[in-house]
Amino acid sequence: MSNPQQLRYSKEHEWLSAVEDGVATVGITEYAANALGDVVYAQLPEVGDTVTAGETCGELESTKSVSDLYSPVTGEVTAANQDVVDDPSLVNSAPFKGGWLFKVRVAEEPNDLLSADEYTAFSGN
């Protein structure tokens, strides 16, 4: 399992893209997707919602369990991935590509996000 070097990671297993024009993309890691099992339902934050770093902003339901989705940053949601709502299995098949979850206009970025190497050491993968 390879964690893309250009992303940063939370200890709750979400990834964050680089901020471009104030907006970053959020998803869950391949490690988290594998741990969840087959994702069958995604409840994502809606456009205009305010999310707070480290707080719940949605949930993913799999054949194994239901897992809260945490935001790695504070800001306003600018897009939710309707493709994932329509086909939650994208979270498993393409966690770093088509399985992204939402985009957020970043108001505040925590300083405890991990690099790819740090996340790999943290998750053991």
Side-chain angles (χ1 to χ4, degrees), residues 102-123:
F102 63 95
K103 295 182 185 249
V104 59
R105 181 164 307 284
V106 178
E108 185 180 333
E109 206 172 313
N111 56 9
D112 62 348
L113 294 176
L114 307 172
S115 69
D117 292 339
E118 290 168 332
Y119 179 75
T120 298
F122 168 76
S123 64

Side-chain angles (χ1 to χ4, degrees), residues 56-77:
T56 303
C57 63
E59 71 180 26
L60 298 172
E61 182 177 329
S62 72
T63 54
K64 292 181 181 179
S65 67
V66 175
S67 180
D68 287 333
L69 174 64
Y70 296 90
S71 179
V73 294
T74 297
E76 182 181 340
V77 175

Side-chain angles (χ1 to χ4, degrees), residues 1 3 5 8-15 28-32 35 70 112-125:
M1 184 176 330
N3 297 304
Q5 292 292 318
R8 286 178 297 153
Y9 302 85
S10 74
K11 290 185 176 178
E12 287 81 26
H13 307 288
E14 280 82 25
W15 57 261
I28 68 164
T29 64
E30 186 175 5
Y31 172 83
Y70 296 90
D112 62 348
L113 294 176
L114 307 172
S115 69
D117 292 339
E118 290 168 332
Y119 179 75
T120 298
F122 168 76
S123 64
N125 288 301

